[in-house]
Amino acid sequence: MLYQLTEELEMLRQVVSRMAAEKVAPRAAAIDEEDTYPWDLKELFTGQGLLGAGVPEAYGGSGQGLPAVCLIVEEIARASASASLIVAAQELGLMPILLAGSEGQKQKYLPELASGERICAFALTEPNAGSDAGGIKTRARREGGRYLISGQKCFITNGGVADVYTVFASTDPEKGLKGLSAFIVEKNFPGFAVGKKEKKMGVRGSPTAELIFEDCPVPAENLLGKEGDGFKIAMMTLDRTRPVIGAQAVGIAQGALDYAVNYTRERVQFGRPIASFQGLQFMMADMATKVEAARQLVYKAAFTIENAAELGVSPAGVSRYSSMCKLFASDVAMQVTVDAVQLLGGYGYMKEYPLERMMRDAKITQIYEGTNQIQRLVIARSLLEKGK
Ligand code: CAA
């Protein structure tokens, strides 16, 4: 199926693009340097209703769907990948509720997450369960009308700033990944604490922290779906959010390309702008081609996933598109930002210029929401599954 951005989505792109250039770009270097969460930009985005684009209108969002979330994240990431994570991490944190929440859970939590009144986070990863997400050791023991959660999570985006966490824990360790369950945990539940905040190479200003659960009581009504549904909920969530990381990667790459192209027009060496040298022109041509190819795959994936039921796309097909676009776009972001630094020569290496930041930011897109090795595994498995 071919896809096309609707007029409404094109308008959304223009509005967010202008906002990012005017309000986000001037803040990008300081967010990186200071490594503090940009509350001002979070307020700006919530004021524009940008955190609820993926949430249906019935639950307080704008109901524009996954392509709109991708557009918003891409345009913000052109200026600041860290700022774009405000939107991307909210979508990730709320997705388990959207996919598996009861009507009551959706009514209770989604409106304030869609409006941005409350921030959320997705708590899957543990020190010994990264790529092997099924290896989670955090335990949830049923005790009357509640569960007691004990264990530790790490590398949690929005850890410490989030009000609501979707947490994956084992209700039945003997069943392995089929014994995992998903819960909604609020930050003020007793026995819940935020541990060490990580110091990172990139996406600084977007907090990444440890979470600690010590017999944290969670009402049984906060269980998402049924006991044992946790792993599927996590995987279905990632199927719908990896394209958002693909979009973030496209944004980072486009931002780097734009900056480098402008620079080559102005930088004079050997008596002429370096843009006139064919060696550099060829580099820029390759970079632009890769960015556009990545963008097309991201939006094709977003549209396909959004309309999977109508298009008759299987769950394996959804996973395949999701992983393909995240894999391709993040590799492109890394290649393009490295080349963009090269186009600026020594200046590209200096913190005075934004390209070294973009290069550091690009790296995480090859790692989070599943490393690119895991994306290849998902793609290959879906190809080999019969009839897909
Ligand atoms: N949708 C629905 N069900 C799925 C599914 C999907 N996409 N993928 C797997 N399942 C089901 C399978 O059908 C299977 O169920 P059945 O036995 O009933 O058929 C079950 O789940 C187990 O699946 P697998 O056998 O494929 O499990 P596995 O352990 O071999 O592999 C994996 C799974 C793909 C490697 C998975 O663990 C994975 O994606 N790992 C990467 C984890 C990840 O992305 N972490 C990122 C953390 S979030 C983050 O980074 C966010 C941040 O802070 C920014």
Side-chain angles (χ1 to χ4, degrees):
M1 185 204 68
L2 291 175
Y3 74 86
Q4 205 178 359
L5 288 188
T6 59
E7 215 172 293
E8 189 195 359
L9 288 175
E10 285 294 359
M11 275 172 57
L12 177 70
R13 186 192 277 286
Q14 282 170 26
V15 169
V16 180
S17 175
R18 201 174 320 122
M19 181 203 69
E22 286 170 8
K23 302 268 173 44
V24 180
R27 292 276 289 109
I31 294 169
D32 176 60
E33 182 71 27
E34 293 158 15
D35 195 13
T36 48
Y37 186 77
W39 288 102
D40 55 329
L41 295 184
K42 185 252 168 194
E43 291 309 318
L44 174 71
F45 300 163
T46 56
Q48 302 282 323
L50 299 181
L51 270 64
V55 176
E57 284 174 288
Y59 303 113
S62 61
Q64 291 166 295
L66 184 55
V69 180
C70 288
L71 277 174
I72 293 166
V73 168
E74 181 192 336
E75 290 303 325
I76 298 173
R78 280 173 75 169
S80 162
S82 303
S84 74
L85 263 178
I86 295 173
V87 180
Q90 189 81 346
E91 181 75 0
L92 177 64
L94 65 78
M95 187 58 75
I97 305 176
L98 197 54
L99 288 176
S102 64
E103 190 54 31
Q105 289 167 335
K106 289 180 183 174
Q107 293 288 358
K108 180 168 177 192
Y109 288 102
L110 288 178
E112 51 194 17
L113 298 178
S115 70
E117 201 180 314
R118 297 177 96 189
I119 300 176
C120 62
F122 179 81
L124 178 72
T125 303
E126 298 185 359
N128 294 311
S131 291
D132 182 10
I136 282 173
K137 292 283 175 284
T138 294
R139 186 81 169 86
R141 281 179 292 113
R142 178 93 193 215
E143 193 193 79
R146 60 186 195 169
Y147 288 87
L148 293 174
I149 300 189
S150 294
Q152 194 186 344
K153 298 284 172 185
C154 66
F155 300 162
I156 306 305
T157 303
N158 277 352
V161 296
D163 305 285
V164 174
Y165 295 80
T166 42
V167 177
F168 296 83
S170 177
T171 40
D172 190 348
E174 281 182 9
K175 289 193 181 153
L177 54 77
K178 287 191 193 303
L180 298 184
S181 304
F183 298 90
I184 304 169
V185 176
E186 299 192 30
K187 71 169 180 192
N188 55 4
F189 285 1
F192 169 76
V194 177
K196 149 175 98 133
K197 184 186 162 203
E198 302 293 346
K199 290 185 182 145
K200 307 195 298 287
M201 171 196 283
V203 288
R204 290 157 54 80
S206 169
T208 304
E210 244 176 19
L211 306 180
I212 298 153
F213 300 85
E214 283 176 343
D215 279 338
C216 169
V218 177
E221 69 207 33
N222 281 23
L223 171 71
L224 283 165
K226 301 190 302 299
E227 281 191 16
D229 285 352
F231 191 73
K232 281 196 177 168
I233 295 172
M235 292 301 113
M236 289 174 71
T237 293
L238 291 165
D239 281 345
R240 282 152 189 81
T241 56
R242 284 172 177 157
V244 179
I245 299 304
Q248 180 184 49
V250 171
I252 297 170
Q254 185 69 57
L257 176 64
D258 292 345
Y259 194 93
V261 168
N262 280 335
Y263 178 88
T264 63
R265 285 203 191 96
E266 281 158 24
R267 170 76 172 162
V268 174
Q269 290 290 277
F270 304 103
R272 52 185 172 129
I274 59 172
S276 66
F277 294 106
Q278 200 176 45
L280 302 197
Q281 289 176 1
F282 281 10
M283 271 176 80
M284 292 188 278
D286 286 343
M287 291 157 75
T289 305
K290 288 177 193 168
V291 175
E292 190 55 24
R295 179 177 290 116
Q296 295 306 321
L297 188 52
V298 165
Y299 289 96
K300 168 85 184 185
F303 274 85
T304 303
I305 294 166
E306 182 75 16
N307 301 299
E310 294 89 321
L311 295 170
V313 177
S314 67
V318 164
S319 302
R320 184 165 67 240
Y321 269 110
S322 171
S323 289
M324 285 195 303
C325 79
K326 195 279 213 191
L327 164 67
F328 189 77
S330 60
D331 281 353
V332 163
M334 202 63 244
Q335 292 158 8
V336 166
T337 53
V338 166
D339 284 348
V341 168
Q342 191 68 18
L343 285 169
L344 267 74
Y347 293 106
Y349 204 70
M350 301 299 151
K351 283 201 179 284
E352 231 174 289
Y353 290 78
L355 290 177
E356 61 84 34
R357 163 174 57 82
M358 293 171 170
M359 189 181 95
R360 287 185 283 108
D361 288 346
K363 185 63 204 167
I364 192 61
T365 65
Q366 295 180 307
I367 298 171
Y368 60 17
E369 297 211 19
T371 64
N372 280 1
Q373 287 64 38
I374 291 295
Q375 309 310 325
R376 288 183 173 91
L377 181 147
V378 171
I379 296 163
R381 281 185 184 177
S382 86
L383 287 176
L384 297 168
E385 220 175 273
K386 256 196 214 149
K388 307 295 175 199

